[in-house]
Amino acid sequence: MIILVIYQVIQIIIAHFIIFLKDKMAAHLFNRITQVGLGVALVGGVVNSALYNVDGGHRAVIFDRFAGVKNLVVGEGTHFFIPWVQRPIIFDIRSRPRNVPTVTGSKDLQNVNITLRILFRPIPDQLPRIYTILGIDYDERVLPSITAEVLKAVVAQFDAGELITQREVVSQKVSESLTERANQFGLILDDISITHLTFGKEFTQAVELKQVAQQDAEKARFLVEKAEQQKKAAVIAAEGDAQAAILLAKSFGTAGEGLVELRRIEAAEDIAYQLSKSRNVTYLPPGQNVLLNLPSQN
């Protein structure tokens, strides 16, 4: 009986010991999983903070806190960098438009308002130099200044009239000079065009007055030519009348009163023809009274 009780007590102790071991192992396993999860999350956060993306049509320049701007241009894709120590600077290398207005003077000292439309992009290999010297807003620092410089130099070679009549030549000179100047700063200019070209108020008024004067001169020339033509026509008509008078005089001398009678008959025929078209004209036989069938008073 005592042995049986001892045996049961031993079984109970062993069962509790097994349960204790299972709980301890489960807790230990849970702790391990938690530690692994935290480690993975930490590593993932670190890795994610050390990644950056360079989209299509862009390039990156790396700034290092200890080494400065690295002379390396990073292409498209996902790349690693050292957090806090390094920082990527993203540049857009696609062509972008920009309008640059400038006021300058022509060769004949006329004010000229001119606007250039420029398609520009940076040279990828020179991005570290561009960022070091000019910064991320390089276009704001470079394009307005060099455009004004080139336009002042080129426009001063032409007077106001030549700027209009030789616009293609002006545009070509501006394009060549501006492309060469921009290349010194690491920029490529894909297209340069003059989109706006006007002059000062005084010059515009002078042009309008000149056009009015030219129109008045043309009108006066036309009137003179018209008067000359009328004069010539009058001379020709007078010569014709004189010639006709000479012929009539010769005819009178030859035919005498017969020609006058012929002309009288022709005139009477013409008058009769004109009167025959009128409805208010009545033809009567010779010797008849207008009031028909009425006795005449003696």
Side-chain angles (χ1 to χ4, degrees), residues 129-151:
R129 173 174 168 267
I130 292 175
Y131 180 73
T132 302
I133 299 176
L134 302 174
I136 195 72
D137 55 342
Y138 59 90
D139 56 321
E140 292 286 347
R141 299 173 181 267
V142 173
L143 291 179
S145 59
I146 65 174
T147 300
E149 174 188 347
V150 169
L151 284 177

Side-chain angles (χ1 to χ4, degrees), residues 6-24:
I6 293 173
Y7 176 74
Q8 290 178 349
V9 171
I10 292 173
Q11 284 183 338
I12 294 172
I13 292 172
I14 292 173
H16 283 286
F17 182 70
I18 292 173
I19 293 172
F20 174 74
L21 289 177
K22 288 183 179 180
D23 293 339
K24 187 174 182 180

Side-chain angles (χ1 to χ4, degrees), residues 3 41 50 57 62 70-71 102 111 133 139 156 170 173 198 206 213 216 222 225 238 243 250 253 260 274-276:
I3 295 174
I62 301 300
K70 291 188 174 183
N71 192 22
T102 303
N111 290 329
I133 299 176
D139 56 321
V170 176
K173 285 182 173 290
T198 57
D216 292 340
F222 172 76
E225 291 179 353
Q243 188 69 23
K250 290 181 179 181
V260 176
Q274 296 295 331
L275 291 176
S276 65

